[in-house]
Amino acid sequence: MSDPAVPTPPAPRKARVPKTVWDLVFTLLIPILILSPNVLGDGIGVASVLGGGKTGNVRAYLLAALIPVAYVLWDILKNRNVSPVALIGGAGAIVSGALAFWYVDGVLYAIKDSARMYLTGLLFLISAATSVPLFRVFLDATTIGETPEARATTQRVLRDPAVHRGLVQGTVVFAVMELVQGVINSFVNFQRVTASFGSDDFNTQVAQVNALMRVPGLVLSLAGVFVAIWFVQRAVKARYGAQASIFEPAKLTGQVP
C-alpha cells in the first residue's frame, strides 16, 4: 500500500507526433504512395485497385490530389482555427482541390500545378498597394499569444507610416518569391511530366516532381518570409531604435504614441 503522505508521481505524458510530421504524411507521403504504380507489389498500385487503366489512374490522381485538401480543411475545423493565415491556407487548398478536376497535361498541367503559387503571389502583390498589405497577416498571427496590451502595441507599430512602408516592401518580396517559386515549379513540371494525363507514367512523373520540389519550394517560401521580416524589422529599428523588435512589444511599450 502506498504512503498517502507521499505524492503520487504524475503519469508520464505520451509522446505526441509533431504536427509537421502529420503535414508531411498527408500532403506528401500518402499522395506519392497513391500515385506509385508499385506500392502494393510489382506492377500493383492504388490505380489498379481503383479500376485499372485510365479510369484507375484518374481516380488515383484525384485521390492523391484531394487527400491534402481534406487534411488541411479538417485541421482548420478540428482546431477551430479561423485566423487569416489558416483561412488563406484553406482557400489555397480549395483552389488546389477544384483544379484537380481540370484534366490536362503538358504545359497546361505545368501551369495548373503552380496556380496556387501564382494566385498567392498576385494577391499579395495587389495588397501591397492597399492600406493592409497581406504580409501583415503573418505578423498578426505571431501576436495571438500576447497580452491585449502587447497586441495593441504591435498594431500601432504596424500602422506607423515608416513601418508601413517596410511592410509594403516585405509584402512585395514575399509575393515575388511566390511567383518565382511558381515559375520554377512550372518549368520542372513541363520538363518532367511529359506523359499523357491518365496514364501510369503521368501519375509516376507527378509523384516524382512532388517529391523533388518539396524541399526547394519550402526553401523559397521561407526565404520570402525571412527577407520580408527583415524589411519590417529594419523599418521598426529605424523608427524606434536599434533594440526595437516587432516580435518584442514589451520593448516598444512607452515608445509608441
Side-chain angles (χ1 to χ4, degrees):
M1 182 179 296
S2 61
D3 186 346
V6 179
T8 304
R13 291 185 178 182
K14 294 182 179 180
R16 296 183 62 184
V17 178
K19 185 177 181 301
T20 304
V21 174
W22 289 121
D23 291 347
L24 288 174
V25 168
F26 283 97
T27 65
L28 182 64
L29 181 59
I30 291 178
I32 287 176
L33 291 177
I34 290 172
L35 293 171
S36 173
N38 302 307
V39 67
L40 301 176
D42 187 20
I44 304 175
V46 173
S48 60
V49 175
L50 295 177
K54 184 173 182 178
T55 299
N57 284 323
V58 171
R59 289 171 178 172
Y61 170 79
L62 288 176
L63 183 63
L66 294 178
I67 280 181
V69 177
Y71 169 73
V72 170
L73 297 179
W74 172 84
D75 184 58
I76 292 173
L77 294 174
K78 175 179 177 290
N79 296 308
R80 298 181 181 179
N81 189 353
V82 292
S83 69
V85 173
L87 293 178
I88 289 174
I94 291 172
V95 169
S96 297
L99 287 174
F101 294 92
W102 185 24
Y103 300 157
V104 291
D105 47 34
V107 66
L108 290 179
Y109 174 78
I111 295 172
K112 182 186 85 166
D113 193 62
S114 303
R116 178 188 57 79
M117 304 166 204
Y118 292 139
L119 290 174
T120 300
L122 288 174
L123 185 61
F124 273 69
L125 201 58
I126 292 170
S127 77
T130 71
S131 59
V132 185
L134 277 177
F135 191 72
R136 179 171 175 170
V137 169
F138 293 102
L139 297 179
D140 285 341
T142 65
T143 68
I144 290 176
E146 299 286 351
T147 64
E149 293 78 10
R151 295 196 70 182
T153 297
T154 302
Q155 297 299 319
R156 288 197 295 272
V157 169
L158 292 175
R159 286 194 296 267
D160 182 274
V163 177
H164 179 80
R165 286 193 291 272
L167 191 57
V168 168
Q169 293 171 332
T171 300
V172 170
V173 167
F174 180 82
V176 169
M177 291 302 289
E178 284 293 299
L179 294 173
V180 168
Q181 182 183 348
V183 170
I184 294 173
N185 188 69
S186 290
F187 177 78
V188 173
N189 272 285
F190 180 69
Q191 291 292 315
R192 291 178 174 267
V193 184
T194 57
S196 299
F197 180 81
S199 65
D200 291 344
D201 288 342
F202 179 86
N203 282 7
T204 301
Q205 291 166 359
V206 168
Q208 291 171 345
V209 171
N210 287 347
L212 176 66
M213 292 303 298
R214 175 51 64 96
V215 172
L218 180 61
V219 169
L220 286 171
S221 292
L222 290 177
V225 170
F226 287 135
V227 175
I229 289 174
W230 180 83
F231 273 105
V232 176
Q233 289 281 54
R234 185 182 67 166
V236 170
K237 292 180 182 297
R239 176 68 175 83
Y240 297 104
Q243 301 304 314
S245 171
I246 193 65
F247 300 113
E248 298 180 82
K251 292 184 178 180
L252 295 169
T253 303
Q255 302 183 55
V256 182

